[in-house]
């Protein structure tokens, strides 16, 4: 089973999700393009996703999430 958490949704309907495959433990980013764009869903390893142009709002959302998780651990 794949669990997801939305990272970012663009104005045109594209969505980026942080995903985890519970059977393998694999964590990755899934891009779901809008129906209007006609694109294909894609999956990226986290490092590859960030290396592919990490200045977009979807990249910044992932970095904020990672930062919040690190911040939560250091305060407890």
């Amino acid at each position: 089973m794949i669990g997801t958490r939305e990272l970012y949704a663009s104005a045109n309907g594209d969505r980026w999700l942080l995903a985890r495959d519970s059977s393998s433990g694999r964590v990755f980013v899934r891009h779901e393009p809008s129906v209007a764009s006609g694109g294909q869903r894609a999956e990226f390893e986290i490092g590859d996703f960030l290396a592919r142009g990490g200045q977009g709002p979807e990249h910044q959302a992932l970095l904020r999430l990672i930062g919040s998780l690190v911040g939560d651990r250091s305060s407890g």
Side-chain angles (χ1 to χ4, degrees), residues 6-63:
E6 186 172 275
L7 293 171
Y8 180 75
S10 69
N12 72 355
D14 283 7
R15 296 174 61 216
W16 287 264
L17 307 133
L18 183 61
R20 182 177 181 272
D21 182 332
S22 60
S23 62
S24 68
R26 177 178 172 241
V27 178
F28 55 96
V29 174
R30 175 179 284 169
H31 174 239
E32 295 182 348
S34 67
V35 174
S37 73
Q40 297 285 328
R41 182 172 73 186
E43 296 178 352
F44 305 94
E45 298 304 320
I46 292 175
D48 292 339
F49 176 74
L50 291 172
R52 292 175 63 114
Q55 298 305 314
E58 63 276 13
H59 299 92
Q60 298 305 313
L62 176 58
L63 291 171

